[in-house]
Amino acid sequence: MPWSDALRHRRPGERYREALTRGLITEADVDRTLIRLFSARYRVGDLPGVRKPDGNVAAVGAPEHGSTALAAAEKSLVLLKNDGVLPLRPGLRIAVIGPLGDATRVLRGNYSSPLSGTPISVLEGLRRALPGARIDYVPFGETYTDGDPVPTTALRTADGRPGLLANYYNVLGTPPTRFAPGAFQAYVGKARFAETPVATRVETSVNGRSLDLAQVSDHHRVVWTGFIVPPETGSYRLGLSGFMSGSLRFEDKPFADLKDAPWGSLPTMKTVRLEKGRRYPITVTGDAHTGTTGVGLVWKRISTAPERDLKAAAAQADVLVAVVGLTSDLEAEESPVKIPGFEGGDKTSLGLPPDQQALLVQARATGKPIVLVAMNGSPLDLTWAKDNAAAIVEAWYPGQAGGLAVGNILSGRTNPSGRLPLTFYRSLEDLPPFGDYSMTGRTYRYFTGKPVYSFGYGLSYTRFAYGPLAVAPVGGDSSKGIRVTTEVRNAGDRAGDEVSQLYLDFPDDPGAPRIALRGFQRVTLEPGNRVRYGSIFRRAISAQSLPTACARC
């Protein structure tokens, strides 16, 4: 059940009280959880009216936070293939293709807030990392991954300030403290709001920000007004994301409505032609009945002739950077979306969406090398890319600085060091039925087929060499554990991180894994430098269980 439905049908406190009465949890469990939650919120200054211990409120978008986001993203990216096209040389002519090339929504997974630091797309990241290169973007056609938040730079108030004017209106009367099943929707349909706003301010975007306004009740309406000012002339998909309650008026006419959109729906969008620099009046209305509104203003610049545009751009390019994949709106929990490859929040295929695969085939026909950047939260079938692309980078949903991380990896500013935390299979046919909950045939530990890319795999721009494994009992007594050590050396000509991994194989016993990761360590080494790495196993290990082969241990 989605969290929103759970809140409507039964207040969370009652669930915990029942669990406490039944002995499923203890008061100590509740205390420990609350201390962790509010300690974290206190430390970052997230509690309304309460400052952090150092007296300052946490600043979203602070430079040090951006540096942390960038470092985390760079370490997570995985170089899966490189025929020598990477790192990209300065001065190259690059065409960025694919629906996710300029996307920002794809940077965030589920259960994340759009109120983070300024997101950096792959297109923008490449331009920052390769300032001397000619980088052109080729918009894609309409597709399921469309719907990026409209940035503050494209929003203006009536007096020309960045953002939109937000007016907050409290609900009239006293809302019920609890709702019987089905009663929530009935209340929402009848709720009425005051004619005078209880708060007015300029906000940077259409997102719920009412938690810092003490005078705004949990049940309220927000009306954002202002103008969209596009940075480029072209065709745009424009609309709303969210569910249940929200509407958009564009040029004083009804444009989009979320009243029939269930939780987890894809954005409601229409295609319009917009001119660079022109001010288009908009009004967005969102109702909140669980604390904040769930509405967002989204858009996407598209091409009405993507195949023609790709062919023209490829003719002027030395290399094509194809940014493809999924979004967490598709890989979502309890999603009502039913499109090719997805149903009810589940994937029915490991393949890329058909229109993206067709794009790659067309790009391959141009004869220009393809650097494929995959953005996704679960395994994809990369068989075609492995056979046809010159390079592949798995970028996941890398966070606010993800596009710059990609740019730094592709340009060689940063040496790739990520390793796959899961197995990339060829097909769902290689896996047991979805309803079979046994581990047989699943994950790298039990999978006996041939994956496209295996768990723990990842390439680098430098080379690392390993010395022989040394296996010895701790303190001469195997009952105290087994120590496994080796030496890691940077045998290449540039500095880089290596993630050393230690695997054990196991006896052929029922239920035992085929192989399992039992130790790993990230090390940073200059060329020629070396370090010893070891793991200790604190339980008895039979001779059959000792590692017999390991690519990175």
Side-chain angles (χ1 to χ4, degrees):
M1 175 183 293
W3 67 269
S4 53
D5 287 346
L7 288 175
R8 296 167 190 168
H9 296 318
R10 192 175 183 189
R11 297 180 66 83
E14 296 179 9
R15 295 178 179 270
Y16 294 126
R17 186 175 294 107
E18 179 183 339
L20 184 64
T21 301
R22 295 172 58 188
L24 301 176
I25 59 175
T26 66
E27 289 189 12
D29 293 329
V30 177
D31 290 343
R32 182 169 56 254
T33 301
L34 290 175
I35 289 172
R36 289 173 178 170
L37 171 64
F38 285 100
S39 294
R41 295 186 64 185
Y42 177 56
R43 287 194 298 270
V44 301
D46 181 51
L47 295 175
V50 179
R51 291 187 176 272
K52 296 195 305 175
D54 60 10
N56 298 316
V57 176
V60 174
E64 61 269 25
H65 299 163
S67 298
T68 300
L70 177 60
E74 289 178 339
K75 290 180 179 180
S76 72
L77 267 58
V78 186
L79 179 62
L80 296 176
K81 180 182 178 180
N82 184 19
D83 282 353
V85 68
L86 297 180
L88 297 174
R89 302 187 311 275
L92 281 177
R93 299 174 300 170
I94 302 170
V96 178
I97 65 175
L100 302 179
D102 67 341
T104 56
R105 173 64 183 93
V106 70
L107 301 174
R108 298 186 295 106
N110 292 80
Y111 298 97
S112 64
S113 171
L115 306 180
S116 60
T118 303
I120 304 172
S121 68
V122 172
L123 176 64
E124 177 62 23
L126 277 170
R127 287 174 172 166
R128 294 189 190 185
L130 291 164
R134 171 183 166 182
I135 302 176
D136 296 318
Y137 178 62
V138 185
F140 197 58
E142 295 184 3
T143 190
Y144 299 116
T145 59
D146 291 345
D148 295 321
V150 178
T152 307
T153 54
L155 299 173
R156 289 291 182 274
T157 62
D159 57 2
R161 287 180 288 175
L164 299 172
L165 183 66
N167 284 291
Y168 288 80
Y169 303 85
N170 281 341
V171 73
L172 295 173
T174 303
T177 57
R178 60 176 295 173
F179 294 96
F184 182 85
Q185 287 80 1
Y187 172 77
V188 169
K190 297 178 180 178
R192 297 294 180 265
F193 300 89
E195 295 182 0
T196 302
V198 69
T200 298
R201 63 182 180 183
V202 174
E203 297 183 342
T204 57
S205 63
V206 175
N207 291 111
R209 287 184 171 87
S210 63
L211 294 180
D212 63 345
L213 293 171
Q215 66 271 42
V216 177
S217 69
D218 285 349
H219 299 263
H220 63 268
R221 170 170 289 172
V222 192
V223 180
W224 292 273
T225 56
F227 300 86
I228 284 184
V229 184
E232 299 290 341
T233 296
S235 295
Y236 290 78
R237 298 190 75 196
L238 176 66
L240 296 178
S241 62
F243 69 102
M244 189 178 67
S245 178
S247 63
L248 166 64
R249 293 183 65 85
F250 178 74
E251 293 193 302
D252 298 323
K253 298 178 182 178
F255 191 85
D257 200 316
L258 298 176
K259 66 178 181 180
D260 296 323
W263 184 88
S265 299
L266 294 180
T268 301
M269 308 178 76
K270 296 178 182 178
T271 299
V272 292
R273 180 78 177 176
L274 303 180
E275 297 178 7
K276 178 180 178 179
R278 180 176 170 183
R279 289 160 42 114
Y280 295 88
I282 60 169
T283 300
V284 179
T285 301
D287 292 350
H289 295 283
T290 55
T292 60
T293 63
V295 63
L297 180 64
V298 295
W299 70 350
K300 179 70 173 182
R301 185 184 169 200
I302 63 168
S303 171
T304 56
E307 294 183 3
R308 178 202 64 195
D309 293 345
L310 170 57
K311 184 177 180 179
Q316 302 298 319
D318 299 311
V319 63
L320 306 178
V321 176
V323 191
V324 296
L326 311 174
T327 69
S328 60
D329 294 320
L330 295 175
E331 300 181 287
E333 178 186 4
E334 295 288 340
S335 169
V337 176
K338 185 176 182 180
I339 61 175
F342 301 89
E343 183 173 356
D346 295 328
K347 292 173 64 173
T348 58
S349 168
L350 296 181
L352 287 168
D355 54 357
Q356 295 186 28
Q357 188 60 51
L359 166 84
L360 294 176
V361 172
Q362 182 194 355
R364 183 70 178 87
T366 67
K368 300 298 175 70
I370 299 172
V371 176
L372 186 142
V373 178
M375 308 188 79
N376 45 281
S378 61
L380 294 172
D381 176 15
L382 295 178
T383 303
W384 186 95
K386 187 176 184 179
D387 293 339
N388 293 276
I392 304 172
V393 172
E394 173 55 66
W396 315 107
Y397 300 139
Q400 66 185 53
L404 182 55
V406 172
N408 287 345
I409 293 292
L410 296 189
S411 67
R413 290 190 174 194
T414 300
N415 185 59
S417 61
R419 303 292 181 259
L420 287 184
L422 38 74
T423 305
F424 275 48
Y425 307 97
R426 295 180 182 274
S427 170
L428 290 178
E429 296 179 358
D430 293 342
L431 298 170
F434 188 74
D436 180 359
Y437 289 173
S438 70
M439 291 302 299
T440 302
R442 297 187 187 281
T443 78
Y444 78 99
R445 295 182 299 163
Y446 298 91
F447 184 66
T448 58
K450 184 179 180 180
V452 181
Y453 289 108
S454 59
F455 176 95
Y457 183 81
L459 302 177
S460 172
Y461 293 150
T462 189
R463 295 181 297 108
F464 295 92
Y466 285 78
L469 284 179
V471 181
V474 175
D477 184 355
S478 60
S479 66
K480 296 180 180 179
I482 300 293
R483 181 188 295 273
V484 182
T485 58
T486 188
E487 182 180 85
V488 186
R489 178 172 59 90
N490 186 340
D493 57 5
R494 63 169 292 171
D497 284 9
E498 168 70 335
V499 180
S500 300
Q501 304 166 43
L502 177 65
Y503 293 84
L504 298 185
D505 58 7
F506 292 83
D508 189 16
D509 293 336
R514 180 183 59 86
I515 191 173
L517 178 69
R518 285 296 182 264
F520 64 92
Q521 179 69 50
R522 176 183 290 270
V523 293
T524 302
L525 293 173
E526 296 291 329
N529 285 4
R530 62 190 69 202
V531 67
R532 290 198 65 78
Y533 162 69
S535 283
I536 296 178
F537 299 90
R538 295 294 185 185
R539 57 185 179 184
I541 301 176
S542 68
Q544 290 175 296
S545 298
L546 292 177
T548 57
C550 182
R552 282 193 170 90
C553 60

